[in-house]
């Protein structure tokens, strides 16, 4: 065995591996001996620290940072967690030593025995019985080592896996993620015949052409004669007697013979694979000895499909498809980087139910099981290499010391995942500038796999229309929508524009998502993108000692909320001095996979069937899929009337091919009067799908059939009660209606700079001064001034007694300084006991002016405690847009009712804005007994300015006069 390649291999970027076997696409998991479970464990202070005599235990797979050690998780976005420049690493370098006894099965005598370590973060050193076996870098791909010469079948051996946390490789694994250390994927041992299948490459075209290239190696030396391969597709023999051509492979380490053979077949009436109908075939390849017995077998499910770029369009099976994608990390709130099959399947099932059809594996190859599931359930995958050098991107991109690492990581990803039909694009990594190292890796990919395009944002961002860089796709991050549209209309576009990241989902976010997709679907040349991201990466933490809960905490969270005494930790919560705070909490789901309200927005934007328009007493429906009809769907019509009624009727969906439309008759006779009427088509799965049982809701397209009736209040002759400050006195209110211009800043508000501006203006601490209080026949007019630090808002409130209550007409004049405030409206508080909100407007989930497409207008009802959305960092949440009227009631049906002059933004929670602003975590919040109610004349949109564009101008609040009117009655 060759000597160790470097005294300190964790600081040698030219050493990507030693003793590690080549990557291949042959799945060895079936029939392997699993080595998962509890291993003997020690955590050392440095790689060269001596191993002591006292052993603890650590579960494999798993990270030691989540298993009770003193080395805790740390979150950074761009900054490295240590100051050393590439390729250096700190002297204080946590190093985990894992040991276990392994008894090799006696029946493996004479066979080739291989150890597979699924992933280790970040450098893996392997010893068996004290003898060095090999080294591997690349934290997110498996490493295999031939143990045939160091273990004996039927006997026990001690396997030691040493994992070094920091290394030269850490500088190209600088992803926006928690830093961990450990063995994150399964460890196994398997055996093959010395002459074995070294690799299998499948190319299955959507016209039914199948080509299977097989490679074999013989661990004993030269290939013998007479060996051959056969192939079987879905039980049908496709070829046999394919003998091997021999190719001599020589370098300074090995002299070996490699055998190659090709199987070819044409499948008639082939069932093609796409994300809507992911048809798979079982392919078995067998390696035969001269006497016909089987020496080795490879089985995989394959899909017949083509991917190509024609002009500026990305085509799947000849069709231009929209990429409705999300970025996804391997993550779990209890186990860190280790994710089970059940959890991965749950991830993809949820995404499928909410209209996603694509995943970018940010920013490394994901667990191999994910690709099996993507093949099965139907997702387009952008497979991304484990390369991100964010903090030192410019110098590393052209650093020849890292050339081998770039090519090694990209090529190993391609070799592992090339047979998955779900993988349609290779990505060279993320946020690593652009240099010769990328071009070298791209050259390798294009030579090895010309069937898929290559993308890399760092190259394409220099010029979206360039034709001489390493990216086949313009894949920018958070590009302003107007720039994307302008590029598509410029006549200069040369390649597809698909954003690798857009619509940053941090906190209460994803504003203007519907606006983006309206532009994408109407602008040739724009083809979609990937939302950042799937998960809020909160780690479940015990509040009393500040440590991760670990694998035993499965019952300590529900509906996005941690149990009492626990919270979702983000950057800084584990005592780190270098961290990036809540920027880790930027997903469309909470850490327990509970959907955020923005998921419903996406579901509606991606609806497979839509109401196009209402005309001539009929409804026009359209099929917005690419490959599938509507026969897998069923529907129910709902008619929501302003008088409180909701009518239902079954819907018969027309037989429409993709892209077709058809008119269907109105399912109801709409009353001629009575105010607004909204028609909704509630679409569900007709028959069980692999990702959804029958009855699962898919989308709820809606159209308004009639506008609102004129609102009339009948005034009465009685006085309105006010106190000495001109504030309304009401038996159900504990705080009278007052002007509100402030909201608890969202993450977008804070990171986008708006919150700082609002604080500078003093919007969070306005001082009210009464100017005048005038009574005229029971009506009271109150004029007040609300002073900030740089401006004064003049507020006029007219209180008019009406039948059953009081009408409140309000006017606020914002000075020119206040040209973009958070909200303009009224806030009041109620007595305790009013715990049920019923409303006519958008719902039932949270919605805002620039995020309301997924919340249909109708009659909705929820307990007050369920209206609030528990974003990891408390902030403005729980709003409902387009509310026409609402009631707050007690169990005995007493309470209050509010009618609005026009659809307005309303929120009802247990928290004042200042309560939310002051809290860093939800365990710090104390709900108030009554309700805090906001009725807004205008509310600022959400945007995605925490990382990306702010909301559009039409969703901002201008200075000048704002007027609104509402009526408060007692039930």
């Amino acid at each position: 065995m060759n000597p160790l390649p470097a005294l300190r291999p964790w600081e040698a970027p030219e050493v990507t591996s030693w003793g590690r076997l080549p990557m291949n696409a042959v799945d060895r998991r079936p029939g392997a001996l699993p080595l998962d479970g509890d291993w003997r464990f020690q955590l050392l202070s440095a790689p060269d620290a001596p191993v002591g005599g006292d052993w603890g235990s650590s579960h494999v797979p798993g990270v030691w940072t989540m298993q009770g050690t003193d080395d805790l998780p740390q979150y950074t976005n761009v900054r490295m967690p240590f100051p050393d420049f590439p390729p250096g690493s700190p002297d204080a370098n946590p190093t985990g030593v894992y040991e276990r006894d392994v008894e090799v099965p006696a029946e493996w005598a004479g066979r080739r025995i291989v150890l597979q370590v699924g992933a280790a973060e970040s450098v893996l050193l392997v010893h068996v019985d004290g003898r060095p076996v090999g080294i591997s870098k690349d934290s997110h791909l498996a490493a295999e080592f031939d143990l045939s010469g160091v273990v004996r079948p039927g006997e026990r051996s001690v396997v030691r896996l040493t994992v070094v946390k920091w290394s030269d490789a850490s500088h190209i694994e600088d992803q926006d993620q928690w830093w961990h250390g450990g063995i994150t994927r399964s460890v196994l041992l398997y055996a093959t015949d010395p002459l074995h299948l070294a690799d299998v490459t499948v190319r299955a075209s959507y016209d039914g052409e199948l080509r299977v290239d097989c490679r074999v190696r013989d661990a004993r030396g030269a290939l013998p004669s007479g060996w051959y391969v056969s192939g079987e597709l879905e039980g049908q023999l496709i070829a046999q007697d394919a003998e091997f051509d021999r190719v001599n492979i020589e370098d300074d380490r090995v002299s070996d013979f490699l055998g190659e053979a090709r199987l070819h077949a044409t499948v008639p009436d082939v069932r093609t694979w796409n994300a809507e109908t992911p048809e798979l075939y079982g392919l078995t390849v067998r390696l035969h000895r001269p006497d016909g017995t089987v020496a080795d077998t490879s089985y995989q499910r394959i899909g017949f499909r083509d991917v190509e770029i024609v002009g500026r369009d990305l085509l799947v099976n000849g069709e231009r498809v929209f990429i409705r994608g999300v970025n996804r990390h391997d993550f779990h709130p209890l186990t860190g980087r280790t994710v089970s099959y059940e959890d991965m399947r749950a991830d993809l099932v949820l995404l499928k139910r909410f209209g996603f059809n694509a995943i970018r594996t940010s920013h490394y190859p994901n667990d191999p099981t994910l690709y099996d599931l993507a093949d099965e359930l139907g997702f387009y995958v952008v497979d991304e290499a484990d390369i991100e050098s964010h903090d030192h991107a410019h110098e590393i991109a052209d650093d020849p010391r890292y050339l081998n690492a770039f090519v090694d990581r990209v090529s190993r990803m391609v070799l592992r995942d090339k047979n998955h039909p779900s993988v349609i694009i290779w990505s060279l990594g993320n946020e690593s500038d652009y240099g010769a190292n990328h071009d070298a890796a791209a050259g390798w990919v294009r030579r090895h796999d010309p069937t898929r395009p290559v993308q890399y944002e760092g190259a394409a961002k220099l010029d979206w229309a360039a034709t001489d860089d390493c990216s086949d796709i313009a894949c920018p991050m958070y590009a302003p929508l107007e720039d994307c549209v302008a590029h598509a209309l410029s006549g200069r576009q040369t390649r597809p524009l698909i954003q690798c990241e857009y619509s940053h989902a941090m906190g209460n976010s994803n504003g203007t998502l519907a606006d983006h997709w309206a532009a994408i679907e109407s602008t040739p040349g724009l083809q979609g993108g990937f939302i950042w991201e799937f998960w809020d990466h909160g780690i479940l933490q015990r509040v009393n000692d500040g440590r991760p809960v670990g694998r035993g905490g499965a019952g300590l969270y529900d509906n996005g909320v941690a149990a009492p005494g626990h919270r979702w930790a983000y950057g800084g919560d584990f005592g780190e001095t270098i961290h990036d705070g809540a920027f880790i909490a930027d997903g469309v789901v909470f850490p327990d996979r509970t959907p955020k309200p923005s998921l419903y927005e996406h579901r509606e934007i991606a609806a497979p069937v839509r109401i196009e328009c209402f005309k001539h007493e009929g409804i026009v429906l359209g099929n917005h899929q690419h490959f599938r009809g509507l026969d897998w769907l069923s529907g129910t019509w709902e008619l929501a009337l302003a008088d409180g009624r909701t009518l239902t009727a079954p819907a018969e969906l027309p037989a429409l091919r993709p892209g077709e439309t058809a008119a269907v008759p109105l399912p109801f006779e709409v009353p001629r009067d009575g105010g607004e009427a909204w028609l909704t088509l509630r679409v569900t799965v007709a028959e069980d799908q692999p990702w959804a049982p029958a009855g699962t809701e898919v989308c709820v397209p809606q159209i308004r059939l009639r506008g609102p009736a004129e609102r009339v209040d009948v005034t009465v002759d009685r006085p309105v009660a006010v106190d000495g400050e001109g504030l309304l006195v009401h038996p159900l209110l504990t705080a009278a209606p007052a002007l509100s211009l402030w909201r608890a800043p969202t993450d977008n508000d804070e990171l986008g700079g708006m919150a700082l501006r609002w604080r500078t203006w003093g919007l969070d601490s306005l001082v009210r001064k009464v100017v005048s209080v005038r009574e005229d026949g029971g009506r009271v007019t109150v004029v007040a001034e609300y002073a900030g630090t740089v401006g004064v808002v003049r507020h006029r409130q007219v209180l008019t007694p009406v039948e059953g209550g009081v009408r409140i007409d309000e006017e606020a004049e914002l000075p020119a300084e206040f040209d973009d405030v958070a909200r303009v409206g009224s806030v009041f508080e109620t007595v305790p006991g009013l715990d049920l909100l019923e409303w006519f407007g958008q719902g039932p989930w949270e919605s805002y002016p620039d995020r309301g497409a997924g919340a249909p207008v109708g009659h909705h009802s929820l307990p007050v405690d369920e209206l609030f959305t528990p974003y990891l960092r408390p902030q403005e949440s729980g709003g409902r847009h387009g509310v026409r009227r609402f009631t707050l009631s007690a169990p005995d049906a007493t309470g209050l009712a509010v009618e609005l002059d026009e659809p307005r933004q309303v929120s009802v929670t247990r928290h004042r804005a200042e309560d939310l602003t002051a809290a860093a975590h939800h365990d710090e919040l104390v709900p108030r007994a009554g309700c805090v109610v906001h009725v807004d004349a205008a509310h600022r949109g959400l945007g995605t300015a925490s990382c990306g564009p702010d909301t559009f101008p039409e969703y901002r609040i201008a200075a000048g006069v704002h007027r609104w009117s509402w009526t408060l009655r007692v039930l």
Side-chain angles (χ1 to χ4, degrees):
M1 184 171 290
N2 293 332
L4 203 67
L7 184 62
R8 294 170 64 87
W10 51 90
E11 289 188 341
E14 69 278 4
V15 178
T16 59
S17 68
W18 167 74
R20 188 181 68 194
L21 296 173
M23 181 62 79
N24 62 82
V26 180
D27 186 0
R28 297 296 184 180
R29 289 172 292 178
L33 175 65
L35 299 182
D36 291 350
D38 290 332
W39 287 51
R40 297 188 294 274
F41 180 76
Q42 291 188 31
L43 184 62
L44 309 180
S45 60
D48 45 11
V51 176
D54 297 327
W55 291 86
S57 68
S58 185
H59 190 82
V60 174
V63 289
W64 67 66
T65 43
M66 302 280 285
Q67 296 192 53
T69 72
D70 290 332
D71 184 33
L72 298 175
Q74 181 177 3
Y75 165 61
T76 64
N77 175 21
V78 177
R79 298 174 292 176
M80 290 295 292
F82 52 81
D84 303 70
F85 277 74
S89 59
D91 291 333
N93 191 349
T95 300
V97 181
Y98 298 81
E99 273 195 3
R100 68 166 290 167
D101 298 335
V102 176
E103 182 172 347
V104 179
E107 58 269 25
W108 287 5
R111 308 200 78 198
R112 170 177 165 267
I113 300 168
V114 178
L115 173 72
Q116 182 186 98
V117 180
E121 188 174 332
S122 71
V123 175
L124 171 70
L125 299 92
V126 180
H127 293 76
V128 175
D129 293 330
R131 297 175 59 184
V133 172
I135 296 171
S136 178
K137 300 176 185 178
D138 188 348
S139 293
H140 302 288
L141 281 174
E144 294 190 342
F145 304 91
D146 190 337
L147 305 189
S148 304
V150 294
V151 297
R152 293 185 178 182
E155 298 182 7
R156 285 183 177 269
S157 291
V158 176
V159 175
R160 173 178 289 186
L161 306 179
T162 303
V163 180
V164 184
K165 184 176 183 179
W166 307 124
S167 70
D168 61 89
S170 300
H171 293 284
I172 56 172
E173 294 178 356
D174 181 20
Q175 287 114 2
D176 175 12
Q177 208 9 265
W178 291 104
W179 292 97
H180 289 293
I183 299 171
T184 58
R185 296 177 190 158
S186 289
V187 180
L188 55 88
L189 203 66
Y190 69 86
T192 72
D193 194 279
L195 184 67
H196 59 279
L197 288 166
D199 200 7
V200 175
T201 302
V202 178
R203 292 184 179 170
S205 301
Y206 86 117
D207 61 2
E209 288 294 309
L210 174 64
R211 193 182 91 185
V212 184
D213 292 311
C214 307
R215 286 191 167 194
V216 299
R217 290 182 186 272
D218 193 333
R220 297 165 298 196
L223 292 176
S225 61
W227 291 64
Y228 64 95
V229 293
S230 68
E232 189 178 281
L233 190 70
E234 296 287 275
Q236 299 296 315
L237 193 67
I238 58 172
Q240 66 178 40
D241 298 327
E243 294 193 15
F244 290 97
D245 297 323
R246 290 168 174 79
V247 182
N248 193 29
I249 307 295
E250 291 188 5
D251 61 24
D252 60 349
R253 291 174 296 171
V254 298
S255 179
D256 199 3
F257 282 92
L258 175 72
E260 296 180 340
R262 175 172 295 171
L263 305 175
H264 181 269
T266 301
V267 179
D269 302 319
V270 67
R271 307 186 310 273
T272 57
W273 186 98
N274 59 72
E276 293 170 14
T277 55
E279 297 283 355
L280 295 174
Y281 289 76
L283 172 67
T284 303
V285 175
R286 297 184 179 92
L287 172 62
H288 297 268
R289 302 181 181 92
D291 62 1
T293 56
V294 176
D296 201 2
T297 301
S298 170
Y299 174 82
Q300 53 202 296
R301 295 184 299 175
I302 66 169
F304 288 81
R305 65 103 184 91
D306 282 353
V307 181
E308 59 183 332
I309 292 176
V310 176
R312 57 183 186 170
D313 294 327
L314 174 71
L315 307 181
V316 174
N317 298 344
E319 294 289 332
R320 181 178 186 268
V321 297
F322 286 122
I323 300 300
R324 305 182 185 277
V326 71
N327 287 273
R328 180 193 174 276
H329 280 280
D330 281 341
F331 168 78
H332 192 279
L334 302 178
T335 56
R337 202 91 70 201
T338 299
V339 190
S340 68
Y341 168 87
E342 292 76 17
D343 282 320
M344 280 183 276
R345 186 179 184 90
D347 291 353
L348 300 198
V349 163
L350 182 72
L351 287 170
K352 197 79 175 177
R353 292 181 182 182
F354 282 91
F356 291 91
N357 69 356
I359 295 168
R360 176 176 175 235
T361 66
S362 54
H363 299 292
Y364 44 79
N366 284 186
D367 189 291
T369 300
L370 181 101
Y371 302 82
D372 297 334
L373 289 166
D375 294 342
E376 173 193 333
L377 298 173
F379 283 92
Y380 303 122
V381 174
V382 173
D383 204 3
E384 190 151 274
D386 187 14
I387 299 173
E388 180 169 343
S389 56
H390 209 156
D391 199 16
H392 300 284
H394 183 68
E395 53 263 46
I396 288 179
D398 283 307
D399 189 338
R401 294 175 298 176
Y402 280 91
L403 173 62
N404 287 345
F406 275 60
V407 177
D408 182 64
R409 288 167 181 244
V410 172
S411 63
R412 294 181 75 235
M413 170 186 71
V414 173
L415 287 167
R416 186 193 74 166
D417 298 335
K418 60 190 173 184
N419 295 337
H420 288 282
S422 58
V423 177
I424 65 167
I425 298 170
W426 301 117
S427 170
L428 303 179
N430 184 66
E431 293 180 322
S432 300
D433 208 318
Y434 178 41
N437 294 342
H438 295 98
D439 287 334
W444 188 94
V445 176
R446 290 195 168 102
R447 171 68 178 175
H448 185 82
D449 179 26
T451 70
R452 295 176 176 93
V454 175
Q455 76 172 44
Y456 177 58
E457 180 269 340
K461 74 179 179 182
L462 302 177
D463 179 1
W464 293 352
T467 58
D468 59 352
D469 59 42
C470 69
S471 187
D472 299 317
I473 295 170
C475 46
M477 291 181 177
Y478 311 106
L481 181 59
E482 59 270 24
D483 292 357
C484 296
V485 173
H487 176 68
L489 300 178
S490 68
R492 297 183 61 247
Q493 187 176 4
T494 58
R495 50 189 169 180
L497 195 156
I498 303 170
Q499 292 206 60
C500 68
E501 294 178 22
Y502 81 108
S503 194
H504 193 251
M506 184 178 181
N508 192 358
S509 188
N510 300 112
T512 73
L513 192 60
D515 304 78
H516 273 75
W517 273 96
I520 290 168
E521 293 188 355
S522 62
T523 308
L526 305 185
Q527 213 166 333
F530 296 82
I531 289 174
W532 186 267
E533 61 167 314
F534 180 55
W535 285 104
D536 265 2
H537 296 264
I539 291 175
L540 190 65
Q541 179 187 47
R542 292 188 296 267
V543 175
N544 62 347
D545 63 8
R547 302 186 72 84
V549 171
R551 296 173 63 239
L556 296 176
Y557 47 78
D558 184 48
N559 290 324
V561 179
H566 301 79
R567 67 183 182 186
W568 298 122
Y570 49 75
D573 287 338
F574 293 110
E576 318 100 293
T577 56
I578 299 175
H579 66 86
D580 286 297
F583 207 68
I584 194 71
D586 48 11
V588 292
V589 300
F590 289 103
D592 63 352
R593 207 182 294 106
T594 296
K596 288 185 182 177
S598 57
L599 268 189
Y600 294 94
E601 184 86 348
H602 186 274
R603 188 183 73 171
E604 213 54 44
I605 291 166
V609 57
R610 305 183 195 175
I611 299 175
E612 307 289 347
C613 60
F614 165 48
K615 60 181 181 179
H616 306 305
E617 302 303 317
I619 301 295
V620 177
L621 297 181
N623 179 357
H624 283 252
Q625 299 170 103
H626 299 296
F627 299 100
R628 204 173 190 185
L630 302 182
D631 54 309
W632 65 285
L633 299 170
S634 60
T636 302
W637 292 109
E638 291 183 358
L639 181 64
L641 300 171
D643 62 10
R645 290 180 295 161
T646 300
L647 310 179
T648 62
E652 184 174 340
L653 301 181
L656 296 176
R657 292 193 295 269
E660 287 186 339
T661 61
V664 298
L666 262 179
F668 304 100
E669 183 176 343
V670 182
R672 294 187 178 275
D673 53 20
E676 286 184 275
W678 288 83
L679 182 67
T680 303
L681 178 61
R682 200 164 293 276
V683 181
T684 57
V685 172
E687 297 180 354
D688 289 351
Q689 302 291 309
W691 48 272
T696 301
E697 194 168 85
V698 173
C699 57
V700 284
Q702 184 178 69
I703 193 168
R704 191 175 74 171
L705 301 183
R706 191 179 57 224
E710 184 178 357
R711 170 174 164 253
V712 178
D713 282 321
V714 179
T715 60
V716 296
D717 185 16
R718 61 170 173 78
V720 174
V722 296
D723 64 13
E725 296 295 315
L727 296 171
L728 177 68
V729 176
H730 193 282
L732 295 181
L733 303 187
T734 58
L739 179 67
S740 176
L741 305 182
W742 169 259
R743 69 184 182 194
T746 66
D747 291 314
N748 292 331
D749 296 338
E750 291 285 11
L751 296 178
M754 289 77 76
L756 176 60
R757 187 168 69 245
W758 298 336
R759 288 187 179 99
T760 301
W761 294 346
L763 299 189
D764 58 338
S765 55
L766 293 173
V767 177
R768 181 178 184 268
K769 176 184 177 182
V770 178
V771 175
S772 65
V773 178
R774 181 167 53 87
E775 184 177 354
D776 182 10
R779 173 184 296 174
V780 178
T781 300
V782 182
V783 178
E785 291 181 344
Y786 287 77
T789 56
V790 297
V792 175
V793 178
R794 190 171 180 85
H795 179 237
R796 182 172 180 267
Q797 195 177 67
V798 180
L799 308 173
T800 303
V802 298
E803 188 174 345
V806 58
R807 187 178 74 237
I808 306 169
D809 298 292
E810 306 200 56
E811 178 181 288
E813 184 177 356
L814 273 61
E817 297 95 324
F818 293 177
D819 62 344
D820 183 11
V821 299
R823 64 176 7 129
V824 178
S826 310
V827 59
F828 61 90
E829 297 180 23
T830 74
V831 297
L834 306 184
D835 298 332
L836 179 67
L837 178 73
E838 298 175 89
W839 75 99
F840 180 47
Q842 290 186 238
W845 27 83
E846 177 190 270
S847 57
Y848 283 83
D850 63 350
R851 201 193 68 211
V857 174
H859 302 285
H860 306 289
S861 175
L862 279 174
V864 169
D865 292 335
E866 295 181 19
L867 295 167
F868 183 67
T869 306
Y871 297 108
L872 262 64
R873 188 189 68 79
Q875 56 196 273
E876 162 65 34
S877 75
R880 266 65 180 175
H881 189 56
V883 175
R884 283 78 167 158
R885 64 171 182 265
F886 65 90
T887 64
L888 270 169
S889 60
D892 63 0
T894 61
L896 57 83
V898 172
E899 294 181 8
L900 305 168
D901 57 339
E902 60 182 76
R904 301 288 189 182
Q905 183 80 17
V906 170
S907 73
V908 181
T909 71
R910 303 291 190 192
H911 307 288
R912 293 176 181 168
E914 54 263 38
D915 301 338
L916 299 171
T917 305
H921 295 85
H922 281 271
D923 62 287
E924 302 167 20
L925 288 173
V926 179
R928 295 180 180 271
C931 300
V932 180
V933 182
H934 282 271
V935 175
D936 292 331
H939 195 101
R940 194 183 195 277
L942 302 169
T944 66
S946 57
C947 189
D950 193 5
T951 192
F952 297 160
E954 57 264 37
Y955 301 118
R956 300 176 195 172
I957 301 174
V961 177
H962 296 265
R963 297 181 178 89
W964 66 106
S965 175
W966 51 292
T967 302
L968 176 66
R969 290 186 170 91
V970 175
L971 288 177

